[in-house]
């Protein structure tokens, strides 16, 4: 068909923005005018702004840094303290950069995008590159900053606004990958060239270290500053989960000869390789999902002798591997429940394994693991969370008991609520898990309003977490919550992801539909009282629930979505997702199977559909807001029940401030409450 709505792809075009303003002023404005919305927004804002949240920190030298937002710091402050002070109930924070004050001084709308700090001798840390985005877009600027004076360096390194980044080599040299003019970016909109940039040299004249191809996804270089093991690496990303990694030895590039689908971690003398597909080097086959380790220099010299630290089973997957100075900590899911293992090399280089006792195995919850300072320390950050217990931060050693540092307060009343895990069977016989949070005294009479959430892509697992806004605005009000673990995610490793790629995408949607049927068969709810929510790839998921399974749902929330799968690869970063979805012009049939999960093309004007809420952001430069705009306009023209809200800021996250995030979340819960007829 001829697409008559391409004009809505003009992100900042006056006609398109007039359309956006008109839609925002309709049903979304009506929802926002209700007292119930106001109460939910105020409560969510109070949660997001609360001083009782855990200020998660990162160690930089002798200080522990945190980025913080609250009612007084809408855009946030970057601040620091000592570990001794951090252990107290009220740490003594020193502000390093106030983004709100910076915005006022520069008349900008900067959003914090992170920082990279140059390690100095004797743990002296002075220079940093601070990354700031206008309105929350992926494109950002990088500006040199002095941690001692707490000021930007006059005449220092400055990377203009673009998608890209930097990596410190020394105090006068950076690796930089960014837009340096015509031909310097890939078809996906990411850098094609990485450069070595010396102080005082114009960026566009910086020495090119490596140039990829136009159809690559991106190119970058990075410096490993580990004392005694300093190395430089170049990464040529061909596609998602498909990269060539090189050791940069002077001016010579030496390919690290692992499969392009594998991920590697280099730590001191060790090379760890996480496989996504089976690999047979030197006649021995290692299964996809395994983690191998070997001596880095031996591997580069041609050795193919490995120790297998983890090999997957039908019920387990590796979702994290964290090096400390002397250990490698593995985070393993067993039927979507965590266990941790500590692997330690002995004097002869042989690794031994022990269970980590700092987290409860097999609980319905999530454990996140991070190294405090992997170059010098065996300390770990542990974050434990579940649906009903406030998140807790621990400080632990890989070989010792954890110390509880911080815990969030209970932001909602969880009394009488229970979290359970269930399994159902998809259309092809696959066993699919999901979590269900409900009132313990639920009558199972099919009347409970139920919110399902899913993603189903990019090997990203959906794990239990303490969502205070969900608890306050949904669970406390009697709602049931279902978190789905459908194919396409990473709950059972790379095979679970690969099962729903490209022409098999429909399997993720069948899994979601099977769960919707299962909660009805269990008597939890009825189909007209199920709402389903998802964002980004999850927005494509909920878009397909709309067009393929409209009878299973009473309301659908589609956020920052992909919906036009014929043109997605032509919009913003879309070309980088071809490995996930398809539409390679050299592959016969791609266009045909893409249409089978393209909601924009599958919509039938005369069919019955449940009410839909679309949310997106004008500043989303990853997933084009045109997807949501065009689909909403198509449905509105057909007379369907459509609520549309587009935030002018926010990037792919949809919100740049706590107030914007609270507005968006309150809008979702109010929409669901009204459309699922909970009163």
């Amino acid at each position: 068909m001829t697409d008559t709505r391409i004009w809505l792809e003009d992100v900042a075009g006056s006609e398109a923005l007039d359309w956006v303003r008109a839609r925002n002023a309709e049903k979304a404005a009506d929802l926002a005018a209700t007292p119930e919305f106001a109460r939910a927004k105020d409560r969510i804002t109070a949660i997001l702004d609360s001083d009782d949240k855990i200020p998660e920190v990162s160690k930089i030298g002798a200080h522990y840094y945190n980025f913080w937002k609250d009612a007084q710091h809408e855009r946030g402050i970057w601040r620091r303290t000592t570990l001794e002070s951090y252990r107290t109930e009220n740490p003594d924070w020193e502000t390093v950069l106030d983004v709100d004050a910076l915005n006022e001084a520069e008349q900008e709308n900067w959003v914090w995008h992170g920082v990279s700090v140059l390690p100095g001798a004797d743990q002296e840390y002075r220079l940093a590159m601070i990354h700031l985005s206008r309105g929350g877009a992926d494109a950002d600027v990088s500006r040199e900053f002095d941690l001692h004076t707490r000021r930007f360096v006059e005449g220092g390194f400055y990377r203009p606004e673009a998608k890209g980044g930097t990596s410190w080599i020394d105090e006068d040299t950076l690796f930089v990958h960014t837009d340096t003019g015509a031909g310097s970016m890939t078809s996906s909109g990411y850098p094609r060239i990485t450069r070595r940039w010396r102080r005082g040299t114009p960026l566009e004249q910086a020495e090119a270290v490596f140039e990829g191809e136009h159809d690559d996804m991106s190119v970058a270089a990075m410096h490993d500053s580990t004392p005694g093991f300093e190395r430089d690496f170049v990464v040529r990303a061909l596609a998602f989960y498909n990269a060539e990694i090189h050791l940069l030895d002077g001016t010579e590039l030496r390919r690290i000869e692992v499969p392009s689908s594998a991920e590697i971690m280099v730590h001191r003398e060790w090379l760890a390789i996480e496989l996504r597909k089976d690999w047979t080097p030197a006649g021995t086959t290692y299964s996809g999902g395994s983690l191998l380790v070997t001596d880095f220099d031996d591997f580069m010299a041609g050795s193919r002798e490995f120790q297998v630290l983890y090999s997957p089973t039908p019920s387990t997957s590796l979702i994290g591997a964290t090096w400390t100075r002397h250990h490698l900590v593995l985070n393993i899911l067993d039927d979507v429940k965590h266990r941790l293992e500590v692997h330690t090399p002995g004097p002869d280089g042989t690794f031994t394994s022990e269970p980590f006792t700092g987290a409860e195995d097999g609980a319905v919850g999530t454990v996140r693991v991070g190294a405090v300072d992997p170059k010098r320390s065996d300390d770990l950050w542990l974050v434990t969370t579940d649906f009903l217990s406030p998140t807790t931060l621990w400080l632990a050693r890989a070989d010792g008991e954890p110390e509880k540092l911080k815990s969030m307060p209970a932001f909602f009343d969880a009394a009488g609520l229970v979290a359970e895990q269930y399994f159902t069977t998809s259309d092809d016989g696959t066993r699919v898990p999901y979590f269900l949070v409900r009132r313990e005294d639920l009558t199972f009479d099919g009347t409970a309003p139920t919110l399902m959430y899913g993603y189903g892509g990019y090997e990203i697992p959906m794990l239990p977490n303490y969502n205070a806004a969900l608890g306050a605005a949904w669970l406390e009000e009697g709602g049931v919550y279902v978190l789905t673990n459908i194919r396409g995610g990473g709950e059972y490793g790379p095979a679970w992801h690969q099962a729903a790629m490209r022409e098999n995408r429909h399997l993720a949607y069948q899994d979601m539909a099977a769960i919707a049927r299962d909660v009805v068969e269990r008597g939890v709810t009825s189909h007209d009282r199920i709402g389903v929510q998802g964002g980004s790839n999850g927005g494509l998921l909920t878009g397909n629930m709309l067009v393929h399974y409209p009878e299973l749902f009473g309301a659908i929330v589609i956020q920052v979505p992909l919906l036009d799968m014929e043109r997605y690869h032509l919009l913003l970063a879309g070309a980088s997702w071809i490995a996930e979805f398809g539409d390679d012009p050299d592959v016969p049939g791609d266009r045909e199977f893409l249409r089978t999960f393209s909601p924009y093309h599958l919509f039938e004007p005369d069919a019955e559909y449940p009410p839909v809420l679309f949310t997106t952001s004008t500043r989303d430069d990853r997933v084009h807001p045109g997807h949501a705009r065009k689909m909403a306009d198509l449905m509105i023209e057909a007379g369907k029940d459509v609520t549309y809200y587009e935030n002018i800021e926010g990037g792919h996250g949809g919100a740049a401030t706590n107030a914007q995030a609270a507005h968006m979340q309150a809008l979702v819960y109010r929409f669901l409450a009204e459309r699922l007829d909970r009163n």
Side-chain angles (χ1 to χ4, degrees), residues 197-220:
W197 188 15
R198 293 182 170 86
R199 191 178 297 278
T201 303
L203 174 58
E204 61 276 6
Q205 294 179 22
E207 169 197 0
V209 171
F210 182 81
E211 297 190 22
E213 300 296 328
H214 176 70
D215 290 334
D216 290 347
M217 192 174 97
S218 65
V219 166

Side-chain angles (χ1 to χ4, degrees), residues 584-621:
D584 184 337
D586 295 327
V587 177
D590 265 23
R591 185 62 58 92
E592 286 73 17
F593 72 70
L594 277 168
R595 268 192 172 251
T596 68
F597 58 91
S598 180
Y600 186 57
H601 298 96
L602 295 173
F603 174 77
E604 295 287 347
D606 297 329
E608 293 291 327
Y609 295 104
V612 181
L613 168 64
F614 293 95
T615 69
T616 190
S617 165
T618 310
R619 290 292 294 167
D620 188 348
D621 57 351

Side-chain angles (χ1 to χ4, degrees), residues 510-563:
Q510 289 178 4
D511 292 354
M512 196 73 170
I515 294 171
R517 295 188 187 101
D518 196 60
V519 294
V520 171
E521 290 171 4
R522 293 180 187 274
V524 173
T525 189
S526 56
H527 289 299
D528 61 353
R529 290 193 165 224
I530 300 179
V532 63
Q533 178 186 10
S536 189
N537 175 73
L540 177 61
L541 165 70
T542 53
N544 274 276
M545 294 299 100
L546 174 73
V547 296
H548 285 294
Y549 304 100
E551 74 283 358
L552 299 185
F553 303 100
I556 295 183
V557 179
I558 302 175
Q559 299 180 288
V560 289
L562 290 88
L563 294 168

Side-chain angles (χ1 to χ4, degrees), residues 45-53 68-71 409 411 658:
T45 301
I47 291 169
L48 296 177
D49 285 341
S50 171
D51 290 338
D52 293 327
K53 301 191 307 290
W68 183 262
K69 292 181 183 179
D70 58 25
F411 282 117
N658 287 346

